[in-house]
Amino acid sequence: MAGKTGENVKDPRIIAFVCNWCTYSGADLAGTSRMKYADNIRVIKLPCSGRIDPLFIVEAFKKGAKGVLVSGCHPGDCHYTSGNYHSRRKYAAFRDLLNYLGVDLNRVEFSWISASEGNKWVSVVSEFTEKIKSLPDVHDIFSSR
Amino acid sequence: MSRIGVFVCWCGSNIAGTVDVKKLTEEAAKIPGVVEAVDYKYMCSDPGQNSLRNMIREKNLTGVVLAACSPHMHENTFRKAAVKEGLNPYFVEIANIREQVSWVHEDKERATYKAMDLLKMMVEKVKRDRAIEDVRVPLTKRALVIGGGISGMQAALDIASGGVEVILVEKEPSIGGRMIQLDETFPTLDCSSCIMTPKMVEVSQHPNIKLYTYSEVENVSGYIGNFNVKIKKMTKSVVEKDCTGCGDCWNACPMHKNVKSEFNINLSERTAIYVPFPQAVPLVPVIDRAACLHFKKGGKCVKCYEVCGPKCIDFTIQDEIIEEKVGAIVAATGFDLMDNSLYGEYGYGKYKDVISGLQFERLLSASGPTEGVIKRPSDGKTPQTIVFIQCVGSRDPEKGVPYCSKVCCMYTAKHAKLFSHKVHGSQSYVFYIDIRATGKGYEEFIRDTIEKDGVVYLRGRVSKIYQDRDKLIIRGADTLSGNQVEIAADMVVLATGVIPKKGSDKIAQMLGISYDKYGFFTESHPKLRPAESSTAGIYLAGMAQGPRDIPESVVSGSAAASKILGLFSKSEYEVEGTIAGVNKTTCVGCFYCQRVCAYSAISKEEIKDRNGNVIKVVANVNPGLCTGCGACVNACFSKSIDVKGYMDDQIYAEIRSLAI
Ligand SMILES: Cc1cc2nc3c(=O)[nH]c(=O)nc-3n(C[C@H](O)[C@H](O)[C@H](O)COP(=O)(O)OP(=O)(O)OC[C@H]3O[C@@H](n4cnc5c(N)ncnc54)[C@H](O)[C@@H]3O)c2cc1C
Ligand code: SF4
Ligand code: SF4
Ligand code: FES
């Protein structure tokens, strides 16, 4: 099939891990509002950002993603009270490991997007896609640093 | 082997306009495991749902993937349709190709390619779906209400009238809370005890209400439908069932000068054996052992024992722990007032005639320390001029609290009004920031106080109060006229800020519910779930949630009650089965999962051998408490805990399906 995302540096594949309650709904809102954004993103829905295992990020890179977006509810808004707090703490510790693995940390983005922030979803996705496109082409993401 | 059916929805032109649905369907049919792929104009319509049902039946499908709108729209619709054909509802997955593709992208070829990616992900996910049964939790159909103020009483009465047994625990010797301390109530000026006393009696006589006064809840364990409660019943030193409430004992008690009455907020004294107020329910005295001569002087004094006809005084009764099982809990612990001495400039504690609004209620009350004649504490003279100061502590982020206490504007107007009715020719002044009178009939009440009762409202703060002979001199600003004012008054009444009941944070911790930085209990959702706490099975009512007046407290008590009656109307409590599960073989008992679980859903389970020896301690997920958030999954180093519906292997399969 033509138009395959991910085939070259100008067209990278980006995987987003998002929570069901805030960010997924925010992305839905962008849809219902017919906002337009770059089509490189593939969303994987999880109950909460606290469910997002850092190893998912590693796996995503292994499978050819050139960027990974992690997004959940704003601090204090997590549907499960404190899931996003755990994910934030986990991610802070995980950054060092990613760096050690040779991943350019510019390729991972962490953001809070609420169910009412369709526009924020659009800008985060668009800006992140632009950023990934601007990074030097690397075949092996684990030596991209 | 998976037998998966794929349905591509056009959503009219909403999807078909941007995604090549024919091509998508063709490609989908080629994915291993897919037995048939079809497209249809509107999958959510009846014919669309029927085509789904037919294929499940005819092709004997093990899973269904719909490429359609967001799962937040129609996941339930399609799951229900699948259930009708005997398929477990969790074998239905949705690839969101409308909100995430056709509505947000424009290039048809690229959009089709992305839609294909999303569809592949869901096919891989559905292959790994397991049947999930919703969990049924048995319900103990009894309720516990903590706090016997108006909100807790209302909750208890409503639940009890619905035919459910209620245990009402009140810390003080009598129920009634703050409302029974009030004189008349805004905005209708009905006398508080006249409307409250019959309700208190109703509570005590209701066949479905078991009342524990002078008692506190010491421990709560368990979860929705199944709470175990330990209640500490402090000893009253009186055999309750024999007591007639005649009062011979407290009239005989020699300790009548030294102990301040809590109920009258230090405006009078009480005896060591006492009832807090004459209409107390139950009308049974308690001995305050810290004040009682019998306990202080080695058993010397037994005067109350001697005069008691039914011989119900027993100095040997000890505190008692009572265990009860309940299925739901209402937390209605009410409020306290801030410490006025934070405001040294007002002289509370220094000048006897500077009192709080609640103390003024006691002075107004016919059953209060002055029998309803307003007398000032210093010399018992009836004041002619009173200055009222609003927002003492409220809306003051620096020294007090930033929030508005909500009832002070109204009760201050009420106080000034009642004062003008009781003492003819008297004058009141009210210092205020602004007037908040938003309830039914409230604005009219304030207007009436200003216009008919001649109360003078001064917008501004008081900077200093000092004593000059038998007058209090109040200095303040009137910001509307721009003048400094100085008033010589006989008494000053402070409208003190409302704070949560002392110890409410401990109650919240014991119940495992969340509370805000002031200690008020927080609702599960501030707008849509105002009666529920953050923990299933625990409900909230009254001032314990934040400042509110009597009507609002009553409404919230009733709301909590109706939630509980609703819960109990079913034979079992059903929870979605998408919760965590532990692999007890691999679990090493580190309990990292327990630390991150915000719902205390993880407990320790002992695995025993045939002889009953504990061989291993592993994590156990309580289905009544688990919400399926998945925080525990990441905390587990041995990969022994997973959340149904979002299992690790499913997520990895979704990622891998995208491999380039
Ligand atoms: C000076 C003043 C005047 C007011 N005037 C009016 C008026 O005219 N009209 C009006 O509508 N509102 C008025 N209000 C507001 C009114 O008092 C409240 O809305 C109402 O009392 C709230 O009821 P509640 O049941 O939530 O709390 P509370 O009345 O505080 O009752 C809580 C009960 O829980 C008990 N409790 C606390 N902790 C525990 C525990 N750990 N275990 C067991 N029991 C516990 C307490 O002892 C108490 O009995 C006034 C308030 C003040 C301060
Ligand atoms: S023993 Fe004496 S002091 Fe104590 S309650 Fe009885 S009468 Fe009062
Ligand atoms: S899924 Fe969430 S609520 Fe359930 S046990 Fe794990 S951490 Fe607790
Ligand atoms: S539910 Fe959105 S981050 Fe927890």
Side-chain angles (χ1 to χ4, degrees):
Chain A
M1 210 189 270
K4 283 186 183 173
T5 316
E7 297 234 295
N8 63 56
V9 64
K10 291 284 158 253
D11 199 9
R13 167 113 20 99
I14 294 167
I15 296 185
F17 296 101
V18 311
C19 84
N20 176 46
W21 300 96
C22 288
T23 306
Y24 196 88
S25 301
D28 271 358
L29 179 63
T32 37
S33 321
R34 311 296 203 275
M35 296 169 175
K36 303 291 178 241
Y37 55 86
D39 59 21
N40 304 62
I41 196 109
R42 305 289 183 265
V43 168
I44 296 184
K45 175 162 79 80
L46 295 155
C48 170
S49 68
R51 173 68 186 89
I52 300 168
D53 188 332
L55 294 176
F56 294 165
I57 302 174
V58 175
E59 185 69 14
F61 284 131
K62 278 209 241 163
K63 295 297 171 240
K66 298 282 190 250
V68 173
L69 174 65
V70 173
S71 181
C73 312
H74 284 260
D77 284 355
C78 171
H79 184 77
Y80 305 101
T81 328
S82 56
N84 50 5
Y85 159 80
H86 290 303
S87 66
R88 189 167 42 173
R89 280 218 336 211
K90 244 196 142 86
Y91 179 66
F94 181 66
R95 280 177 73 89
D96 294 340
L97 177 66
L98 269 184
N99 192 38
Y100 174 78
L101 288 176
V103 177
D104 178 355
L105 292 178
N106 282 313
R107 295 189 180 274
V108 188
E109 179 87 8
F110 211 77
S111 70
W112 314 120
I113 300 174
S114 79
S116 61
E117 293 175 324
N119 50 357
K120 184 167 177 197
W121 170 253
V122 171
S123 61
V124 166
V125 170
S126 303
E127 281 160 28
F128 187 51
T129 309
E130 281 315 306
K131 182 168 161 190
I132 296 297
K133 282 182 183 171
S134 73
L135 294 176
D137 190 14
V138 277
H139 188 67
D140 178 8
I141 223 80
F142 296 101
S143 61
S144 67
R145 184 160 46 101
Chain B
M1 260 302 283
S2 308
R3 300 180 55 80
I4 294 155
V6 171
F7 297 84
V8 177
C9 182
W10 296 28
C11 196
S13 63
N14 280 297
I15 292 172
T18 319
V19 171
D20 185 341
V21 287
K22 290 289 175 201
K23 176 146 197 179
L24 185 59
T25 312
E26 268 167 42
E27 295 286 326
K30 296 181 196 160
I31 307 175
V34 172
V35 291
E36 189 169 353
V38 295
D39 58 292
Y40 191 75
K41 269 216 162 99
Y42 290 104
M43 275 310 296
C44 58
S45 67
D46 278 347
Q49 291 187 48
N50 283 337
S51 73
L52 181 127
R53 290 181 55 179
N54 291 342
M55 200 200 288
I56 294 177
R57 199 171 49 239
E58 284 156 18
K59 302 275 164 175
N60 202 9
L61 298 184
T62 59
V64 171
V65 176
L66 293 115
C69 56
S70 169
H72 289 182
M73 293 293 301
H74 279 305
E75 189 171 65
N76 259 333
T77 316
F78 299 128
R79 282 183 172 172
K80 276 191 202 143
V83 167
K84 290 194 184 131
E85 295 304 325
L87 193 65
N88 185 281
Y90 294 94
F91 287 123
V92 175
E93 297 289 352
I94 294 188
N96 182 353
I97 64 163
R98 190 180 72 178
E99 280 80 349
Q100 280 186 22
V101 181
S102 67
W103 276 351
V104 290
H105 305 319
E106 286 160 316
D107 182 312
K108 195 159 184 173
E109 201 175 358
R110 291 179 61 87
T112 308
Y113 183 72
K114 176 171 175 183
M116 187 60 200
D117 268 0
L118 302 191
L119 183 58
K120 274 194 294 189
M121 284 159 71
M122 285 304 119
V123 171
E124 292 313 312
K125 180 165 191 232
V126 87
K127 282 184 188 167
R128 290 159 183 82
D129 269 327
R130 286 81 157 166
I132 304 174
E133 299 305 330
D134 285 344
V135 183
R136 286 163 202 278
V137 181
L139 291 167
T140 306
K141 294 188 184 177
R142 300 172 87 215
L144 167 73
V145 177
I146 309 175
I150 184 61
S151 59
M153 283 169 48
Q154 185 66 41
L157 282 171
D158 285 0
I159 299 168
S161 305
V164 170
E165 208 183 313
V166 183
I167 294 147
L168 177 58
V169 176
E170 167 57 54
K171 170 159 101 173
E172 299 297 326
S174 170
I175 55 171
R178 295 291 184 200
M179 186 174 159
I180 195 65
Q181 288 179 289
L182 308 181
D183 177 40
E184 291 175 8
T185 52
F186 65 73
T188 43
L189 295 186
D190 25 11
C191 128
S192 190
S193 18
C194 312
I195 52 179
M196 194 61 168
T197 321
K199 246 188 146 85
M200 289 159 63
V201 173
E202 199 188 335
V203 166
S204 73
Q205 292 180 347
H206 202 296
N208 281 340
I209 299 180
K210 203 164 164 187
L211 181 59
Y212 293 113
T213 49
Y214 214 45
S215 302
E216 282 185 69
V217 177
E218 248 198 4
N219 189 44
V220 173
S221 61
Y223 53 96
I224 183 167
N226 303 275
F227 293 107
N228 298 311
V229 182
K230 274 202 185 115
I231 298 162
K232 181 173 170 192
K233 201 168 176 303
M234 288 172 287
T235 176
K236 295 184 177 177
S237 312
V238 173
V239 180
E240 280 180 77
K241 63 173 176 35
D242 297 338
C243 174
T244 61
C246 67
D248 288 350
C249 57
W250 63 83
N251 287 324
C253 180
M255 296 295 291
H256 46 66
K257 272 279 157 271
N258 298 324
V259 194
K260 294 281 184 204
S261 157
E262 295 87 354
F263 187 78
N264 286 330
I265 320 148
N266 304 339
L267 291 175
S268 69
E269 285 78 33
R270 64 160 169 84
T271 41
I273 185 165
Y274 74 106
V275 286
F277 52 98
Q279 314 92 316
V281 171
L283 191 60
V284 174
V286 302
I287 293 181
D288 171 0
R289 292 191 173 184
C292 169
L293 282 179
H294 181 88
F295 291 96
K296 292 211 294 193
K297 294 270 162 74
K300 278 209 187 106
C301 175
V302 289
K303 289 227 166 79
C304 55
Y305 175 81
E306 282 166 6
V307 297
C308 178
K311 287 281 164 270
C312 48
I313 293 178
D314 180 349
F315 300 106
T316 66
I317 304 177
Q318 295 300 312
D319 291 352
E320 200 185 334
I321 301 284
I322 295 159
E323 297 196 22
E324 297 276 9
K325 284 189 185 307
V326 298
I329 299 175
V330 182
T333 47
F335 69 102
D336 271 331
L337 296 176
M338 277 181 61
D339 182 5
N340 280 319
S341 52
L342 286 173
Y343 292 82
E345 63 270 38
Y346 298 154
Y348 187 89
K350 184 160 150 211
Y351 308 125
K352 279 189 168 168
D353 298 329
V354 178
I355 64 171
S356 73
L358 203 53
Q359 286 176 312
F360 196 64
E361 294 280 348
R362 297 313 302 145
L363 290 184
L364 287 168
S365 169
S367 57
T370 54
E371 287 166 346
V373 183
I374 302 176
K375 293 178 182 170
R376 56 182 204 173
S378 62
D379 54 11
K381 276 192 203 154
T382 293
Q384 296 300 316
T385 306
I386 299 186
V387 164
F388 295 88
I389 306 177
Q390 292 192 181
C391 290
V392 179
S394 313
R395 306 170 69 195
D396 180 358
E398 250 112 75
K399 272 204 280 185
V401 292
Y403 56 81
C404 164
S405 291
K406 205 168 180 183
V407 287
C408 319
C409 286
M410 287 304 296
Y411 75 61
T412 298
K414 171 182 80 175
H415 290 166
K417 186 185 260 305
L418 292 174
F419 174 53
S420 81
H421 294 181
K422 286 208 168 178
V423 183
H424 293 285
S426 65
Q427 182 62 56
S428 304
Y429 298 90
V430 177
F431 282 92
Y432 71 104
I433 305 183
D434 45 34
I435 299 295
R436 298 183 168 179
T438 54
K440 196 171 178 177
Y442 287 12
E443 177 63 21
E444 297 91 314
F445 185 87
I446 301 267
R447 279 276 133 231
D448 194 76
T449 306
I450 297 171
E451 284 159 14
K452 295 225 179 76
D453 303 311
V455 174
V456 176
Y457 272 73
L458 298 162
R459 184 175 184 149
R461 285 233 181 242
V462 168
S463 53
K464 192 170 174 53
I465 297 177
Y466 61 92
Q467 184 115 37
D468 184 12
R469 275 156 299 179
D470 76 337
K471 290 280 183 195
L472 289 164
I473 311 298
I474 295 91
R475 276 210 193 136
D478 175 5
T479 56
L480 291 183
S481 69
N483 292 330
Q484 287 295 316
V485 284
E486 194 173 286
I487 299 164
D490 303 309
M491 210 160 109
V492 172
V493 178
L494 308 178
T496 319
V498 161
I499 51 173
K501 191 81 188 174
K502 188 161 174 268
S504 61
D505 49 345
K506 297 276 174 319
I507 296 279
Q509 286 158 13
M510 180 179 73
L511 294 173
I513 61 177
S514 46
Y515 53 101
D516 66 19
K517 61 177 167 198
Y518 313 108
F520 291 118
F521 304 148
T522 39
E523 298 78 10
S524 169
H525 189 283
K527 293 168 192 74
L528 303 179
R529 288 162 67 83
E532 292 95 328
S533 77
S534 53
T535 299
I538 301 182
Y539 303 86
L540 310 172
M543 276 261 207
Q545 289 174 268
R548 46 182 59 169
D549 56 25
I550 295 166
E552 289 170 327
S553 298
V554 171
V555 166
S556 66
S558 288
S562 74
K563 287 284 164 193
I564 291 177
L565 291 175
L567 173 71
F568 287 174
S569 67
K570 296 181 220 128
S571 57
E572 286 170 319
Y573 170 68
E574 256 183 57
V575 259
E576 269 199 53
T578 47
I579 54 170
V582 178
N583 179 340
K584 295 189 176 156
T585 321
T586 56
C587 172
V588 296
C590 64
F591 293 102
Y592 287 134
C593 56
Q594 196 179 40
R595 276 196 248 160
V596 299
C597 178
Y599 300 91
S600 315
I602 293 173
S603 56
K604 297 187 176 170
E605 181 188 331
E606 295 181 341
I607 308 261
K608 292 183 181 152
D609 66 10
R610 242 178 292 162
N611 306 324
N613 303 318
V614 178
I615 42 176
K616 195 174 172 189
V617 182
V618 295
N620 181 47
V621 175
N622 187 323
L625 292 174
C626 176
T627 59
C629 72
C632 52
V633 184
N634 292 342
C636 181
F637 287 107
S638 64
K639 296 253 163 263
S640 305
I641 190 162
D642 214 342
V643 169
K644 293 175 196 148
Y646 294 98
M647 304 283 272
D648 251 9
D649 64 335
Q650 295 185 293
I651 316 286
Y652 282 113
E654 285 184 53
I655 301 171
R656 283 172 197 149
S657 77
L658 292 173
I660 300 159

